[in-house]
Amino acid sequence: MNQANRTIGAGGAEAVIGRQTAVRASWRRIGWRRALRLCLRAANVLALLALVLVFAMPFFWMLSTSLKTLPETMIFPPEWIPSRPVWENFSTAWNTGPFLKYFVNSVVVAVGILILQMLTIVPAAYAFARYRFAGAKLLFSIVMVTLMIPAQLIFLPVYLELSALKLLNTHLGLILPFASSAFGIFLLRQAFMQVPEELLEAARLDQASEWKIIVRLMVPLAKPVLVTFTLFSFIAHWNDYFWPLVMTTNETARTLPLGIAKIREVEGVATWNVLMAGNLILVAPILVVFFFSQRHIIRAFVYNGVK
Amino acid sequence: MAKIELLGIEKTFKDETVIRNLNLTIRDGSFTVLVGPSGCGKSTTLRMIAGLEKQTAGEIRIGGTCVNDVPPGKRNVAMVFQNYALYPTMTVRGNIEFGLKNRGMPGKERQSLVHDISEIVGLAPYLDKKPQQLSGGQRQRVALARAMVKQPQVFILDEPLSNLDAKLRNQMRTELIQLHKRLGTTFVYVTHDQVEAMSMGDEIVVMDKGVIQQADIPSKLYHDPANLFTAQFIGTPAMNIIDIRDAYGLELENGEGVSYVGFRPEQALIGKSIEGFRLEGEIVTRESLGAENVYQIRSRCCTFFAKTYLEPLLTEASATVVVPYEQLYFFGPNGERRRGVRALAKRLATAGGV
């Protein structure tokens, strides 16, 4: 009896020890996992920070340089925050040329292009997405092919054409070559294709014209995509250096990027501080536009369903 | 209100003929249900009436005028879609008044119409919400309101209840019946659900493979099917069909050309000693649905269903079933109904005795 008890007791103790080891082991396992997860998260955050640094650094450097004196820009290692910000750099940059004119030209050209593109890509995308007609596939392929032709290949014929039409040095000459966009047609066609057919049928039963279907139904549904495209187009043409350089020979239609490039030429020395101030003037409108539309851009890429 | 006539309608998609020589008159003010298995052409027929699909041949008349070349918006029909097809970027109000705006109705008139309709369907508190913020039943009501507000001659409904849960579906079914009574407009309704068809329609058109099998009132469809397809499509469980060669001991008068004999599960009386076609077999499954019990019985000739009402569930392993002779239906080799055939009450007719 006694012995039996002892045996049981010994067995119980063993069981307790066994349980403790098991608990310790499982703790160890959980600890390991937690540590691993923490490490992964830290690595993730670090990687993201590095990425932010890669993208934000140049901007910060630009801002910092734009507020320095010329000698300060030469110091190595660079001084990140200038001891006394030089705001005059901005007025100097602005006064190196007819900047107001450049600015207005840039706005007219970028907005003009955008309006024309909207007028052409929306109906084109709707037709490619919704109508079945002879040659639809061929036409769409041709549109896609234009995406692959570099500007450097066609600028000469376009130049000759515009010159024959007496459109060099005019806003129209800078706008017309970009009156439509293959990228925009493609992007919007994909968005339009996702709209369920019943919706269009319901609208047709409601006596809506095709034009009304586009304006009241399709465009609002494709808003995120349209905003994204607007931004891409606006940035591309706002920053465009090549076409205005080729298509203008005097100041009448020259845009901001050409004006900024001219700052460098002043006095034969690179006045980095003034140049960076000019660059800030150039990118400021884009930053503002991006700030207000980023929500839509993210949605255009993440949320693609129309339910 | 309008009568709809379909005359010699054909519809071909590429090389496939979906509908062949379809002739149908939908009575003015009726609640007509097109029912059939999927792919039978019921939705295509409906879409042709609405003008969303163009028929390959034939003529469609609404209210006596040919609408072959009239675009959907001008046919004076309103449609409710299976997935509602509400305009997602517009509010409930915007959805309801879109059609009126396109028609050029002045603002004040529009306002009062939208107000009245939204009161009727119980949407008044939701007029400024977007469809995404509404529940399934509410969306369904918006779709209905959008159709009603146009005061059309014809309402077209394409499986409008199939996206709702069972309880809501029953409720909306009743509401639709009441709505039809109140408006008195012609309703054309498509469903694949025969229970829905039977409970809602005052005329039912059974279709299969693009051909009308039978167009009749619900009770006639059930009690007097024109062919094997209708007999088996309408009713749950479906009518039991036995090949005449397996129906041992059944003596027929005028029985030439009969290939199949059928009977409804509820006409198969279990354990009754009356005269009729007798079947014996083993009870394979028992389903108790409360008021009714459904048995699947395997006899030597076939497996069939029997249904009892308000009786306790049978626990026996086997059962003898009698179908009164006058409750038997006879069909020809191609499924056509054979009338005037009589089963003879002769000797003890036993089939499939175990």
Side-chain angles (χ1 to χ4, degrees):
Chain A
M1 181 77 184
N2 206 356
Q3 193 164 5
N5 253 346
R6 224 190 288 157
T7 326
I8 291 169
E14 262 166 36
V16 168
I17 291 168
R19 217 177 301 139
Q20 273 177 349
T21 343
V23 166
R24 217 174 296 142
S26 71
W27 257 110
R28 213 179 296 147
R29 226 174 345 195
I30 292 170
W32 260 109
R33 262 193 221 148
R34 190 177 288 177
L36 193 70
R37 212 177 301 147
L38 263 173
C39 279
L40 278 176
R41 239 175 107 187
N44 194 13
V45 169
L46 277 177
L48 285 176
L49 267 177
L51 213 62
V52 167
L53 219 64
V54 167
F55 281 96
M57 248 330 265
F59 271 92
F60 180 66
W61 203 341
M62 177 168 73
L63 179 70
S64 144
T65 308
S66 73
L67 295 172
K68 288 176 184 169
T69 59
L70 187 58
E72 271 178 321
T73 62
M74 308 294 178
I75 297 172
F76 190 85
E79 209 175 277
W80 291 112
I81 296 163
S83 47
R84 195 186 59 86
V86 188
W87 297 104
E88 293 83 55
N89 287 340
F90 287 90
S91 56
T92 315
W94 189 261
N95 291 325
T96 47
F99 257 68
L100 187 66
K101 194 170 179 58
Y102 294 149
F103 191 83
V104 172
N105 286 344
S106 271
V107 171
V108 170
V109 170
V111 172
I113 287 174
L114 197 62
I115 291 172
L116 265 185
Q117 283 182 337
M118 285 297 162
L119 290 179
T120 54
I121 68 167
V122 171
Y126 181 70
F128 280 130
R130 287 294 169 179
Y131 292 154
R132 240 161 267 151
F133 53 93
K137 272 194 181 154
L138 179 73
L139 284 176
F140 189 66
S141 310
I142 292 173
V143 170
M144 286 294 97
V145 164
T146 61
L147 270 179
M148 296 160 206
I149 301 173
Q152 284 74 5
L153 206 71
I154 51 162
F155 83 91
L156 199 60
V158 173
Y159 179 86
L160 294 174
E161 205 176 324
L162 290 179
S163 138
L165 291 169
K166 304 221 178 320
L167 285 176
L168 293 180
N169 291 318
T170 62
H171 291 142
L172 211 56
L174 292 180
I175 292 171
L176 276 183
F178 303 100
S180 191
S181 157
F183 174 62
I185 292 174
F186 172 73
L187 210 63
L188 209 55
R189 172 180 169 265
Q190 300 308 107
F192 284 169
M193 272 165 49
Q194 289 186 5
V195 177
E197 183 65 24
E198 285 91 350
L199 225 54
L200 303 197
E201 291 177 344
R204 287 189 187 124
L205 279 163
D206 270 345
Q207 277 193 39
S209 60
E210 290 300 290
W211 189 240
K212 197 149 200 174
I213 289 175
I214 294 178
V215 174
R216 290 294 315 276
L217 217 60
M218 295 308 242
V219 168
L221 279 172
K223 198 168 139 201
V225 172
L226 277 171
V227 170
T228 309
F229 174 73
T230 299
L231 207 75
F232 280 176
S233 164
F234 186 82
I235 292 176
H237 297 293
W238 183 266
N239 285 342
D240 192 13
Y241 179 73
F242 180 72
W243 279 93
L245 181 70
V246 175
M247 301 301 162
T248 58
T249 52
N250 60 33
E251 305 284 325
T252 28
R254 267 195 188 145
T255 54
L256 267 180
L258 292 178
I260 307 295
K262 265 179 60 180
I263 297 177
R264 248 187 1 192
E265 294 160 15
V266 177
E267 296 161 19
V269 196
T271 47
W272 292 110
N273 48 348
V274 180
L275 192 63
M276 288 306 147
N279 269 331
L280 263 178
I281 296 174
L282 180 69
V283 298
I286 292 176
L287 286 180
V288 170
V289 173
F290 186 79
F291 183 78
F292 284 109
S293 56
Q294 57 170 336
R295 193 167 50 94
H296 289 287
I297 296 169
I298 292 164
R299 223 172 50 186
F301 288 103
V302 177
Y303 170 72
N304 261 323
V306 180
K307 275 184 189 156
Chain B
M1 294 215 275
K3 175 168 85 167
I4 303 167
E5 292 158 287
L6 303 174
L7 306 170
I9 299 294
E10 305 247 339
K11 177 70 189 174
T12 323
F13 286 115
K14 285 184 183 155
D15 338 305
E16 197 188 344
T17 305
V18 190
I19 286 164
R20 229 176 245 117
N21 191 28
L22 182 126
N23 290 288
L24 177 68
T25 303
I26 294 170
R27 224 169 9 91
D28 179 13
S30 70
F31 196 128
T32 300
V33 180
L34 305 183
V35 67
S38 44
C40 73
K42 55 189 190 302
S43 278
T44 310
T45 308
L46 197 74
R47 291 166 59 79
M48 286 192 291
I49 298 173
L52 298 172
E53 209 85 62
K54 180 116 177 92
Q55 68 272 24
T56 319
E59 193 177 316
I60 296 175
R61 290 193 199 150
I62 298 177
T65 41
C66 174
V67 291
N68 278 8
D69 298 313
V70 180
K74 296 259 162 80
R75 290 193 180 193
N76 210 355
V77 297
M79 185 158 172
V80 177
F81 293 85
Q82 182 176 358
N83 58 6
Y84 320 135
L86 301 178
Y87 312 127
T89 52
M90 297 183 201
T91 58
V92 171
R93 184 196 308 280
N95 266 282
I96 298 175
E97 67 179 6
F98 188 61
L100 303 180
K101 269 188 184 168
N102 293 337
R103 253 194 237 172
M105 184 183 278
K108 257 208 180 129
E109 208 177 318
R110 217 165 56 211
Q111 289 283 314
S112 75
L113 246 172
V114 171
H115 178 260
D116 292 349
I117 296 286
S118 57
E119 285 290 331
I120 293 174
V121 295
L123 278 173
Y126 307 104
L127 278 178
D128 294 316
K129 293 221 160 132
K130 292 269 176 74
Q132 297 95 296
Q133 295 166 285
L134 303 180
S135 68
Q138 287 166 336
R139 286 182 203 183
Q140 178 66 73
R141 287 202 174 91
V142 178
L144 272 175
R146 185 173 69 181
M148 279 162 68
V149 82
K150 292 192 280 185
Q151 296 167 322
Q153 285 186 307
V154 177
F155 268 97
I156 287 178
L157 304 104
D158 188 2
E159 307 210 17
L161 304 184
S162 54
N163 280 2
L164 302 176
D165 62 62
K167 199 175 162 201
L168 201 54
R169 200 182 306 156
N170 276 334
Q171 187 191 333
M172 288 303 292
R173 215 187 269 174
T174 327
E175 283 184 28
L176 275 175
I177 296 169
Q178 286 167 350
L179 187 70
H180 173 249
K181 280 217 178 93
R182 172 155 47 180
L183 298 174
T185 317
T186 315
F187 272 48
V188 190
Y189 189 105
V190 154
T191 180
H192 62 266
D193 180 355
Q194 48 102 6
V195 178
E196 207 168 283
M198 293 290 277
S199 64
M200 297 178 84
D202 48 28
E203 274 215 52
I204 298 178
V205 181
V206 181
M207 292 181 72
D208 185 39
K209 297 185 184 120
V211 177
I212 294 178
Q213 302 293 326
Q214 190 171 357
D216 231 321
I217 58 170
S219 60
K220 277 206 78 176
L221 220 52
Y222 188 81
H223 295 294
D224 191 11
N227 51 41
L228 206 55
F229 182 83
T230 312
Q232 286 192 292
F233 191 76
I234 303 289
T236 5
M239 184 183 277
N240 297 301
I241 302 293
I242 305 172
D243 194 312
I244 198 73
R245 284 167 299 183
D246 296 334
Y248 308 115
L250 194 62
E251 296 271 332
L252 299 182
E253 191 183 286
N254 295 331
E256 341 39 270
V258 170
S259 296
Y260 304 97
V261 57
F263 59 92
R264 293 271 175 210
E266 63 272 22
Q267 301 296 354
L269 308 171
I270 299 176
K272 297 268 163 61
S273 54
I274 52 163
E275 204 167 63
F277 176 43
R278 288 171 75 86
L279 288 157
E280 257 173 56
E282 168 198 358
I283 300 180
V284 186
T285 61
R286 299 171 173 81
E287 284 174 47
S288 174
L289 305 170
E292 60 189 57
N293 297 321
V294 178
Y295 304 97
Q296 196 184 0
I297 299 172
R298 191 192 296 142
S299 80
R300 216 166 62 183
C301 71
C302 56
T303 303
F304 62 93
F305 286 95
K307 193 149 112 178
T308 60
Y309 287 102
L310 305 173
E311 276 173 33
L313 192 70
L314 287 178
T315 48
E316 289 86 345
S318 63
T320 305
V321 162
V322 186
V323 186
Y325 288 128
E326 64 276 14
Q327 299 297 348
L328 293 173
Y329 297 84
F330 300 98
F331 302 94
N334 298 320
E336 74 282 7
R337 178 85 181 274
R338 290 280 161 146
R339 293 169 206 274
V341 180
R342 241 163 36 93
L344 295 183
K346 238 186 85 182
R347 338 179 263 249
L348 192 65
T350 315
V354 181

